[in-house]
CSV table of all heavy atoms in Angstrom, one decimal:
chain,number,residue,atom,x,y,z
A,547,ASN,N,-123.5,-6.4,-8.7
A,547,ASN,CA,-123.5,-5.4,-9.7
A,547,ASN,C,-124.8,-4.5,-9.5
A,547,ASN,O,-124.7,-3.3,-9.6
A,547,ASN,CB,-123.5,-6.0,-11.1
A,547,ASN,CG,-122.1,-6.3,-11.5
A,547,ASN,OD1,-121.2,-5.7,-11.0
A,547,ASN,ND2,-121.9,-7.1,-12.5
A,548,SER,N,-125.9,-5.2,-9.3
A,548,SER,CA,-127.2,-4.5,-9.2
A,548,SER,C,-127.1,-3.6,-7.9
A,548,SER,O,-127.6,-2.5,-7.9
A,548,SER,CB,-128.4,-5.4,-9.2
A,548,SER,OG,-128.3,-6.2,-8.0
A,549,GLU,N,-126.5,-4.1,-6.9
A,549,GLU,CA,-126.3,-3.3,-5.7
A,549,GLU,C,-125.6,-2.0,-6.0
A,549,GLU,O,-126.0,-0.9,-5.5
A,549,GLU,CB,-125.6,-4.1,-4.6
A,549,GLU,CG,-126.0,-3.9,-3.2
A,549,GLU,CD,-125.4,-4.9,-2.3
A,549,GLU,OE1,-124.2,-4.6,-1.9
A,549,GLU,OE2,-126.0,-5.9,-2.0
A,550,LEU,N,-124.5,-2.2,-6.8
A,550,LEU,CA,-123.7,-1.0,-7.1
A,550,LEU,C,-124.5,0.0,-7.9
A,550,LEU,O,-124.4,1.2,-7.6
A,550,LEU,CB,-122.5,-1.5,-8.0
A,550,LEU,CG,-121.4,-0.5,-8.2
A,550,LEU,CD1,-120.5,-0.5,-7.0
A,550,LEU,CD2,-120.6,-0.9,-9.4
A,551,MET,N,-125.3,-0.5,-8.8
A,551,MET,CA,-126.1,0.4,-9.6
A,551,MET,C,-127.1,1.2,-8.7
A,551,MET,O,-127.2,2.4,-8.9
A,551,MET,CB,-127.0,-0.4,-10.6
A,551,MET,CG,-126.2,-1.2,-11.6
A,551,MET,SD,-125.1,-0.2,-12.6
A,551,MET,CE,-126.2,0.1,-13.9
A,552,GLN,N,-127.7,0.5,-7.8
A,552,GLN,CA,-128.6,1.1,-6.9
A,552,GLN,C,-127.9,2.3,-6.1
A,552,GLN,O,-128.4,3.4,-6.0
A,552,GLN,CB,-129.1,0.1,-5.9
A,552,GLN,CG,-130.5,0.1,-5.6
A,552,GLN,CD,-130.9,-1.0,-4.6
A,552,GLN,OE1,-130.1,-2.0,-4.5
A,552,GLN,NE2,-132.0,-1.0,-4.0
A,553,ASN,N,-126.7,1.9,-5.5
A,553,ASN,CA,-126.0,2.9,-4.7
A,553,ASN,C,-125.7,4.2,-5.4
A,553,ASN,O,-125.7,5.2,-4.8
A,553,ASN,CB,-124.7,2.2,-4.2
A,553,ASN,CG,-125.0,1.2,-3.1
A,553,ASN,OD1,-126.1,1.2,-2.6
A,553,ASN,ND2,-124.0,0.5,-2.8
A,554,SER,N,-125.4,4.1,-6.7
A,554,SER,CA,-124.9,5.3,-7.3
A,554,SER,C,-126.0,6.4,-7.4
A,554,SER,O,-125.7,7.5,-7.7
A,554,SER,CB,-124.4,4.9,-8.7
A,554,SER,OG,-125.5,4.3,-9.4
A,555,THR,N,-127.3,6.0,-7.2
A,555,THR,CA,-128.3,7.0,-7.2
A,555,THR,C,-128.4,7.8,-5.9
A,555,THR,O,-129.0,8.9,-5.8
A,555,THR,CB,-129.7,6.4,-7.5
A,555,THR,OG1,-129.9,5.4,-6.5
A,555,THR,CG2,-129.7,5.7,-8.8
A,556,GLU,N,-127.8,7.2,-4.9
A,556,GLU,CA,-127.9,7.9,-3.6
A,556,GLU,C,-126.9,9.1,-3.5
A,556,GLU,O,-126.1,9.3,-4.4
A,556,GLU,CB,-127.5,6.9,-2.5
A,556,GLU,CG,-128.6,5.9,-2.3
A,556,GLU,CD,-128.1,4.9,-1.2
A,556,GLU,OE1,-127.1,5.2,-0.5
A,556,GLU,OE2,-128.8,3.8,-1.1
A,557,LEU,N,-126.9,9.8,-2.4
A,557,LEU,CA,-125.9,10.9,-2.2
A,557,LEU,C,-124.5,10.3,-2.2
A,557,LEU,O,-124.4,9.1,-1.8
A,557,LEU,CB,-126.2,11.5,-0.8
A,557,LEU,CG,-127.3,12.6,-0.9
A,557,LEU,CD1,-127.5,13.1,0.5
A,557,LEU,CD2,-126.8,13.8,-1.7
A,558,THR,N,-123.6,11.1,-2.6
A,558,THR,CA,-122.2,10.5,-2.6
A,558,THR,C,-121.8,10.2,-1.1
A,558,THR,O,-122.1,11.0,-0.2
A,558,THR,CB,-121.2,11.5,-3.2
A,558,THR,OG1,-121.3,12.7,-2.5
A,558,THR,CG2,-121.4,11.7,-4.6
A,559,LYS,N,-121.0,9.1,-1.0
A,559,LYS,CA,-120.6,8.7,0.3
A,559,LYS,C,-119.2,9.2,0.6
A,559,LYS,O,-118.6,9.0,1.7
A,559,LYS,CB,-120.6,7.2,0.4
A,559,LYS,CG,-121.9,6.6,0.3
A,559,LYS,CD,-121.6,5.1,0.4
A,559,LYS,CE,-122.9,4.2,0.1
A,559,LYS,NZ,-122.5,2.8,-0.1
A,560,ILE,N,-118.5,9.6,-0.5
A,560,ILE,CA,-117.1,9.9,-0.4
A,560,ILE,C,-116.8,11.4,-0.5
A,560,ILE,O,-117.3,12.1,-1.3
A,560,ILE,CB,-116.3,9.1,-1.5
A,560,ILE,CG1,-116.6,7.6,-1.4
A,560,ILE,CG2,-114.8,9.4,-1.5
A,560,ILE,CD1,-116.1,6.8,-2.5
A,561,LEU,N,-115.8,11.8,0.3
A,561,LEU,CA,-115.3,13.2,0.2
A,561,LEU,C,-113.8,13.1,-0.1
A,561,LEU,O,-113.1,12.4,0.5
A,561,LEU,CB,-115.5,13.9,1.6
A,561,LEU,CG,-114.9,15.3,1.6
A,561,LEU,CD1,-115.6,16.2,0.7
A,561,LEU,CD2,-115.0,15.8,3.1
A,562,LEU,N,-113.5,13.8,-1.2
A,562,LEU,CA,-112.1,13.9,-1.6
A,562,LEU,C,-111.5,15.2,-1.2
A,562,LEU,O,-112.1,16.3,-1.5
A,562,LEU,CB,-112.0,13.7,-3.1
A,562,LEU,CG,-110.6,14.0,-3.7
A,562,LEU,CD1,-109.7,12.8,-3.4
A,562,LEU,CD2,-110.7,14.1,-5.3
A,563,VAL,N,-110.5,15.2,-0.3
A,563,VAL,CA,-109.9,16.4,0.1
A,563,VAL,C,-108.5,16.5,-0.5
A,563,VAL,O,-107.6,15.7,-0.3
A,563,VAL,CB,-109.7,16.4,1.7
A,563,VAL,CG1,-109.3,17.8,2.1
A,563,VAL,CG2,-111.0,16.0,2.3
A,564,GLU,N,-108.3,17.5,-1.4
A,564,GLU,CA,-107.1,17.5,-2.3
A,564,GLU,C,-106.9,18.9,-2.8
A,564,GLU,O,-107.9,19.5,-3.3
A,564,GLU,CB,-107.3,16.5,-3.4
A,564,GLU,CG,-106.3,16.6,-4.5
A,564,GLU,CD,-104.8,16.3,-4.1
A,564,GLU,OE1,-104.6,15.1,-3.8
A,564,GLU,OE2,-104.0,17.2,-4.1
A,565,ASP,N,-105.8,19.5,-2.6
A,565,ASP,CA,-105.6,20.9,-3.0
A,565,ASP,C,-105.2,21.1,-4.4
A,565,ASP,O,-105.5,22.1,-5.1
A,565,ASP,CB,-104.6,21.6,-2.1
A,565,ASP,CG,-103.2,20.9,-2.2
A,565,ASP,OD1,-103.2,19.7,-2.2
A,565,ASP,OD2,-102.2,21.7,-2.3
A,566,ASN,N,-104.5,20.1,-5.0
A,566,ASN,CA,-104.0,20.2,-6.3
A,566,ASN,C,-105.1,19.9,-7.4
A,566,ASN,O,-105.7,18.8,-7.3
A,566,ASN,CB,-102.8,19.3,-6.5
A,566,ASN,CG,-102.1,19.5,-7.8
A,566,ASN,OD1,-102.7,19.2,-8.8
A,566,ASN,ND2,-100.8,19.8,-7.8
A,567,ARG,N,-105.3,20.8,-8.3
A,567,ARG,CA,-106.4,20.7,-9.3
A,567,ARG,C,-106.2,19.4,-10.1
A,567,ARG,O,-107.2,18.7,-10.3
A,567,ARG,CB,-106.4,21.9,-10.2
A,567,ARG,CG,-107.2,23.1,-9.7
A,567,ARG,CD,-108.7,22.8,-9.7
A,567,ARG,NE,-109.2,22.3,-10.9
A,567,ARG,CZ,-109.5,23.0,-12.0
A,567,ARG,NH1,-109.4,24.3,-11.9
A,567,ARG,NH2,-110.0,22.4,-13.1
A,568,ILE,N,-105.0,19.2,-10.6
A,568,ILE,CA,-104.8,18.0,-11.4
A,568,ILE,C,-105.0,16.8,-10.7
A,568,ILE,O,-105.7,15.8,-11.1
A,568,ILE,CB,-103.3,18.1,-12.0
A,568,ILE,CG1,-103.1,19.3,-12.8
A,568,ILE,CG2,-103.0,16.8,-12.8
A,568,ILE,CD1,-101.7,19.6,-13.3
A,569,ASN,N,-104.5,16.7,-9.4
A,569,ASN,CA,-104.7,15.5,-8.6
A,569,ASN,C,-106.2,15.3,-8.3
A,569,ASN,O,-106.6,14.1,-8.3
A,569,ASN,CB,-103.9,15.6,-7.3
A,569,ASN,CG,-102.4,15.4,-7.6
A,569,ASN,OD1,-102.0,14.8,-8.6
A,569,ASN,ND2,-101.6,15.8,-6.7
A,570,GLN,N,-106.9,16.4,-8.2
A,570,GLN,CA,-108.4,16.2,-8.0
A,570,GLN,C,-109.0,15.5,-9.2
A,570,GLN,O,-109.7,14.5,-9.0
A,570,GLN,CB,-109.0,17.6,-7.9
A,570,GLN,CG,-108.9,18.3,-6.5
A,570,GLN,CD,-109.5,19.7,-6.6
A,570,GLN,OE1,-110.2,20.1,-7.5
A,570,GLN,NE2,-109.2,20.5,-5.5
A,571,GLU,N,-108.6,16.0,-10.4
A,571,GLU,CA,-109.1,15.4,-11.6
A,571,GLU,C,-108.8,13.9,-11.7
A,571,GLU,O,-109.6,13.1,-12.0
A,571,GLU,CB,-108.5,16.1,-12.8
A,571,GLU,CG,-109.1,17.5,-13.1
A,571,GLU,CD,-110.5,17.4,-13.5
A,571,GLU,OE1,-110.8,16.6,-14.4
A,571,GLU,OE2,-111.3,18.3,-13.0
A,572,VAL,N,-107.5,13.6,-11.4
A,572,VAL,CA,-107.0,12.2,-11.4
A,572,VAL,C,-107.9,11.4,-10.5
A,572,VAL,O,-108.4,10.3,-10.9
A,572,VAL,CB,-105.5,12.1,-11.1
A,572,VAL,CG1,-105.1,10.7,-11.0
A,572,VAL,CG2,-104.7,12.8,-12.1
A,573,ALA,N,-108.0,11.8,-9.3
A,573,ALA,CA,-108.6,11.0,-8.3
A,573,ALA,C,-110.1,10.8,-8.6
A,573,ALA,O,-110.7,9.7,-8.6
A,573,ALA,CB,-108.5,11.6,-6.9
Side-chain angles (χ1 to χ4, degrees):
Chain A
N547 276 342
S548 63
E549 215 169 83
L550 192 79
M551 301 299 272
Q552 221 177 346
N553 283 349
S554 59
T555 58
E556 291 176 11
L557 275 173
T558 54
K559 297 177 187 171
I560 300 172
L561 174 64
L562 171 71
V563 191
E564 167 68 68
D565 62 317
N566 184 301
R567 275 291 311 277
I568 298 170
N569 286 341
Q570 281 176 12
E571 287 291 317
V572 173

